[in-house]
Amino acid sequence: MTEDTPEELTWQRAVPDDATGPGPWIEISLGDGDLVYLRETSAPHVVVTTTQAKWDAFAHGVQAGEFDHFVKEV
C-alpha cells in the first residue's frame, strides 16, 4: 500500500455469488471523512481513492445500466 493508505482499513471484496477461482477481484474500503479506497486483489499495494459522492454516483450509474456497453455478452 502507499504511505497515504491507512493500515487499519477493513476491505470488502466484490465477488459475484457464483464466482469460482481466485479472482482478481475489486476491494473497497470506506476511510475517514468521505474517502473511499479501491484496490485489486492481484495488486493490493496499488490503491486508488475517490470521494463518497463520486463513488455513490458511480454505483448509481452501474445500477442504472450506464456502463452495460462495457460488458461482453457470454
Side-chain angles (χ1 to χ4, degrees):
M1 286 192 272
T2 67
E3 59 189 55
D4 295 343
T5 304
E7 290 189 28
E8 68 275 359
L9 293 174
T10 302
W11 294 95
Q12 174 73 36
R13 189 169 291 175
V15 180
D17 292 337
D18 60 349
T20 60
W25 309 112
I26 299 296
E27 295 180 314
I28 182 173
S29 183
L30 303 179
D32 290 338
D34 73 339
L35 286 180
V36 177
Y37 296 84
L38 301 160
R39 69 182 184 183
E40 190 174 331
T41 55
S42 63
H45 59 285
V46 179
V47 178
V48 296
T49 59
T50 190
T51 65
Q52 186 71 52
K54 290 177 183 178
W55 177 255
D56 290 346
F58 171 73
H60 290 300
V62 169
Q63 291 172 336
E66 294 178 22
F67 305 105
D68 288 355
H69 62 283
F70 289 112
V71 179
K72 292 182 181 180
E73 295 290 326
V74 282

